[in-house]
Amino acid sequence: MTDASTSGSMSPQLLEVAERARREPQGQFHSLAHLIDVDALRRAYQGQRSAAAVGIDGVTKETYGQDLEANLRVLHEKLRSKRWRHQPIRRVHIPKDKGKTRPIGISCFEDKIVQSVLREVLSTVYEQDFRDCSYGFRPGRSAHDALRALNRVVMNGEAKWILEADIASYFDSIDHPMLLEMLSERVPDGSIKRLVGKCLHVGVLDGADLTAPDEGTAQGSALSPLLGNLYLHHVLDRWFEDEILPCLQGRAVILRYADDFIIGFEQRADAERVMEVLGKRLAKYGLSLQPEKTRLIPFERPPKTQTNGKGPGVFDLLGFRWYWRRARTGTWVLASKTRPVRLAKSIRVISQWCRKYRHKPIPEQHGALRSRIQGHLNYFGVSGNGDSVVCFVNEVTRVWYKWLARRGQRRPLTWARYELLLQTYPLPRPRIMKSIWFR
């Protein structure tokens, strides 16, 4: 159904499309391109971030907006007359764990507008089609909603076996012809497909090297998350719920956030059967599982008579490690902690920041640190993860002291003086920001 959180900002025409898409799940949309008008382009412009990184043209939102209406009219005419061309994407590499990097594509500003307006139009249709098991990059849904669903199915006994899977280089492996074919099932509009194709078949400038990948979608693109959801909607969600689920002996559920997903099973035999065919299903669409990160984990609630404090297994999802823990009442509950690798990385990043900016004025450092700590708490401060957030805040407190003490000041900064400073410039206290417990 149409999402209430987005319907208020939709144009009347988009609301009509959403209603028809909901009413006619098998209907096709042959004429959507007319929805990309100057008003839609203006909405897309307004949704861009002013501080976003610039593409190869160096144009910022402020620069483009100096003659906004004229620029939008010219862009609309280029789109209408099929003269618009997506300029090459500038690729940057973001550090990941174990020395690896994640490639991010940065488009030119005008191309970001086109991607955003395409996303708006296509989302209007596909938000009516996407399944409830999908949580990533969707309006009105969040990672915390996925965690609440996980808590519910585990506590209900629907996930006694967990299939933890990891798709290798997902966004870089999406097959363009197959994606466009999937798009044609619901949106055979030739103009829309042509624009999506131009966003897919675009050059990538990595340093001085210009390449033209024939598969994948650029991470960082406004359109990429929607196209990624569309691909796995066909490859995974529909296949599992419509074809696999009816053939199983017990209950089962899939929970997916973008390409991060787990499948929970009530019965081991069902889990083993699905694990056997999952890789073949993905391979049919050019995708593959990472063998070292794909495993079947026993996860049944321990019996009440079990006296030790450990459950049968652990698994990772959305930056958390999940396990059974005996509560103070004696009952077994689903518990989590921040993944150790993720926690260590968060502390390391803040330490590097403190080192780099240790000579900045204290109020400036304090404001930036508060923002970073609060951002961490907003995501990881969920019910059951209190120990991890306490550890994070304590480590950051020590890290700030370490680098302030190395500022080369005449009077050494002792821990006692640091505690007095914290009274004037307090850091956020560790606290639970979100409840994900099953009720």
Side-chain angles (χ1 to χ4, degrees):
M1 58 188 294
T2 305
D3 190 271
S5 66
T6 58
S7 60
S9 61
M10 281 187 181
S11 69
Q13 289 176 306
L14 286 174
L15 285 171
E16 290 178 9
V17 170
E19 176 58 27
R20 187 193 156 204
R22 184 195 63 78
R23 191 175 61 248
E24 303 174 18
Q26 304 302 320
Q28 292 186 318
F29 292 83
H30 294 270
S31 179
L32 291 176
H34 69 281
L35 298 174
I36 303 179
D37 54 18
V38 173
D39 287 340
L41 295 173
R42 188 182 300 108
R43 287 196 302 274
Y45 165 82
Q46 292 166 349
Q48 304 303 312
R49 292 189 300 112
S50 298
V54 298
I56 62 172
D57 62 350
V59 175
T60 65
K61 180 176 182 179
E62 180 182 6
T63 304
Y64 195 85
Q66 289 175 359
D67 198 3
L68 179 60
E69 294 306 316
N71 287 334
L72 294 180
R73 286 194 298 271
V74 171
L75 175 57
H76 180 252
E77 178 56 29
K78 285 193 291 186
L79 292 168
R80 192 190 63 79
S81 60
K82 301 179 176 59
R83 291 185 294 109
W84 174 78
R85 295 290 183 273
H86 198 300
Q87 297 186 66
I89 291 172
R90 181 169 68 91
R91 174 169 287 172
V92 297
H93 296 271
I94 306 299
K96 287 179 60 178
D97 302 331
K98 299 179 181 178
K100 298 180 180 179
T101 62
R102 180 189 301 276
I104 300 294
I106 302 173
S107 301
C108 294
F109 187 80
E110 197 164 77
D111 297 335
K112 292 178 183 178
I113 292 177
V114 176
Q115 293 169 15
S116 296
V117 80
L118 275 172
R119 179 187 61 194
E120 180 185 59
V121 171
L122 293 174
S123 292
T124 303
V125 175
Y126 285 106
E127 272 303 311
Q128 321 312 317
D129 296 355
F130 289 155
R131 303 297 174 92
D132 287 342
C133 64
S134 170
Y135 290 87
F137 305 108
R138 296 184 57 191
R141 291 185 153 227
S142 69
H144 293 127
D145 293 321
L147 300 184
R148 292 185 185 100
L150 172 69
N151 191 290
R152 183 178 65 251
V153 300
V154 168
M155 296 299 288
N156 277 341
E158 298 175 55
K160 298 178 180 179
W161 292 84
I162 299 289
L163 175 52
E164 182 183 20
D166 187 274
I167 302 176
S169 302
Y170 171 62
F171 284 96
D172 294 330
S173 305
I174 293 175
D175 184 280
H176 291 173
M178 287 184 175
L179 175 59
L180 292 173
E181 185 178 341
M182 294 171 186
L183 182 65
S184 296
E185 284 188 25
R186 198 73 153 115
V187 183
D189 184 327
S191 297
I192 294 292
K193 288 169 55 182
R194 188 180 302 108
L195 289 174
V196 171
K198 289 180 178 180
C199 292
L200 290 173
H201 300 95
V202 60
V204 176
L205 188 65
D206 192 342
D209 299 325
L210 180 63
T211 59
D214 55 5
E215 61 182 17
T217 66
Q219 295 187 62
S221 156
L223 191 57
S224 182
L226 173 66
L227 297 180
N229 270 338
L230 172 60
Y231 204 71
L232 283 183
H233 169 71
H234 285 260
V235 174
L236 195 58
D237 302 350
R238 290 200 323 187
W239 168 74
F240 181 80
E241 293 191 344
D242 297 349
E243 299 180 34
I244 298 299
L245 203 52
C247 301
L248 302 181
Q249 297 299 312
R251 295 178 294 176
V253 63
I254 183 171
L255 297 175
R256 181 174 68 81
Y257 189 95
D259 60 326
D260 195 359
F261 71 95
I262 58 102
I263 308 178
F265 300 87
E266 188 176 19
Q267 297 190 12
R268 177 175 183 171
D270 289 337
E272 291 174 340
R273 287 171 58 197
V274 173
M275 188 173 184
E276 184 178 348
V277 300
L278 178 61
K280 299 174 184 177
R281 172 68 180 181
L282 295 177
K284 183 178 177 182
Y285 294 90
L287 305 175
S288 61
L289 292 170
Q290 294 198 45
E292 69 278 8
K293 295 184 179 180
T294 301
R295 59 199 181 110
L296 190 59
I297 302 144
F299 208 71
E300 185 172 3
R301 185 202 299 260
K304 292 182 178 179
T305 55
Q306 181 172 320
T307 56
N308 65 38
K310 292 185 177 180
V314 299
F315 68 93
D316 295 335
L317 181 68
L318 293 174
F320 294 85
R321 180 154 292 173
W322 300 92
Y323 59 98
W324 286 106
R325 181 181 66 193
R326 185 182 285 277
R328 293 178 180 177
T329 60
T331 59
W332 288 91
V333 296
L334 180 65
S336 69
K337 60 182 177 181
T338 308
R339 285 185 61 207
V341 171
R342 188 73 175 266
L343 180 60
K345 180 182 177 182
S346 298
I347 295 169
R348 184 172 65 252
V349 168
I350 286 189
S351 179
Q352 291 168 347
W353 186 93
C354 288
R355 177 180 182 273
K356 183 177 181 181
Y357 295 103
R358 65 186 183 275
H359 295 297
K360 293 281 187 180
I362 297 295
E364 187 175 332
Q365 290 189 50
H366 176 250
L369 269 181
R370 282 188 61 89
S371 176
R372 284 165 170 77
I373 295 171
Q374 194 60 56
H376 185 94
L377 296 179
N378 287 345
Y379 184 78
F380 287 103
V382 302
S383 44
N385 194 37
D387 290 346
S388 291
V389 296
V390 168
C391 174
F392 173 76
V393 173
N394 288 343
E395 285 299 315
V396 170
T397 303
R398 283 192 281 269
V399 160
W400 197 26
Y401 168 72
K402 169 186 173 180
W403 291 111
L404 286 180
R406 297 188 181 187
R407 281 159 58 103
Q409 50 219 349
R410 295 179 182 176
R411 185 182 177 191
L413 180 66
T414 63
W415 186 263
R417 287 184 58 216
Y418 180 58
E419 288 182 327
L420 290 175
L421 181 146
L422 289 176
Q423 293 179 17
T424 305
Y425 300 101
L427 297 177
R429 297 171 61 88
R431 42 185 303 231
I432 301 304
M433 308 297 297
K434 303 278 185 180
S435 173
I436 60 166
W437 279 337
F438 170 61
R439 301 185 186 280

